[in-house]
Amino acid sequence: MNALLELRPILVEQHFDTCVRFRAASYRASFGSEEGLSDEMGDNDSHYRERLLNHITEVPDGNVHLWSDSKIIGQAEMKLIDDASVGYVSLFFIESECRRLGLGRLLHNHACSVFKAMGKNSVQLSVSRTNLPAQAFYD
């Protein structure tokens, strides 16, 4: 990829539609359908908006969009959990046409750097048993 890549903070008011699209695509990849997604997202995606805004407040540097020139091609969402030594990744997403270019590693390294700067000793995330590409990446 010869484009200029840049991680920028998620601007919810300007790019929430992209966040919703990425979250839905990630859900489909994890669970094979969108069944149950509307419960997670809430009416007019209000639950998701509220969670995302909370995550941005908790970990401002961790909730970012990955830009390629003038296009958003990826997203990372990070939050805090009860274990004070652990940072939690809620979402890594890369557009399908941009996968297998090392961009997942870029998001992973960013998460590790953000949480290390916050004094976290480890990073945790969950992967669906049916999301084999994601499992292969983390392995």
Side-chain angles (χ1 to χ4, degrees):
M1 176 171 277
N2 293 331
L4 173 65
L5 297 173
E6 185 177 10
L7 291 170
R8 299 183 200 162
I10 293 174
L11 301 176
V12 174
E13 294 306 315
Q14 288 92 336
H15 304 293
F16 187 62
D17 57 334
T18 300
C19 296
V20 168
R21 184 170 56 83
F22 287 175
R23 174 59 72 173
S26 176
Y27 194 93
R28 282 190 305 276
S30 294
F31 304 108
S33 75
E34 289 190 14
E35 184 177 336
L37 178 62
S38 61
D39 293 335
E40 180 181 309
M41 300 295 274
D43 294 334
N44 296 317
D45 304 315
S46 61
H47 295 329
Y48 174 55
R49 179 186 286 269
E50 183 178 337
R51 278 193 320 272
L52 182 57
L53 289 170
N54 286 336
H55 296 172
I56 291 168
T57 299
E58 291 177 344
V59 188
D61 295 332
N63 293 276
V64 296
H65 276 137
L66 174 59
W67 290 77
S68 174
D69 293 328
S70 62
K71 181 181 179 198
I72 300 172
I73 61 167
Q75 181 169 314
E77 295 177 24
M78 300 174 213
K79 68 178 185 175
L80 302 178
I81 59 175
D82 290 337
D83 186 335
S85 67
V86 177
Y88 191 86
V89 174
S90 302
L91 176 74
F92 282 152
F93 181 83
I94 301 289
E95 289 274 25
S96 58
E97 67 271 11
C98 299
R99 293 181 188 154
R100 300 193 183 282
L101 301 172
L103 302 178
R105 175 73 46 206
L106 183 131
L107 293 180
H108 171 79
N109 290 343
H110 177 71
C112 291
S113 294
V114 166
F115 286 131
K116 183 177 182 178
M118 295 179 76
K120 307 298 178 188
N121 297 325
S122 63
V123 177
Q124 188 177 61
L125 54 81
S126 298
V127 178
S128 168
R129 295 180 199 271
T130 59
N131 191 343
L132 300 179
Q135 287 182 28
F137 172 76
Y138 295 118
D139 284 343

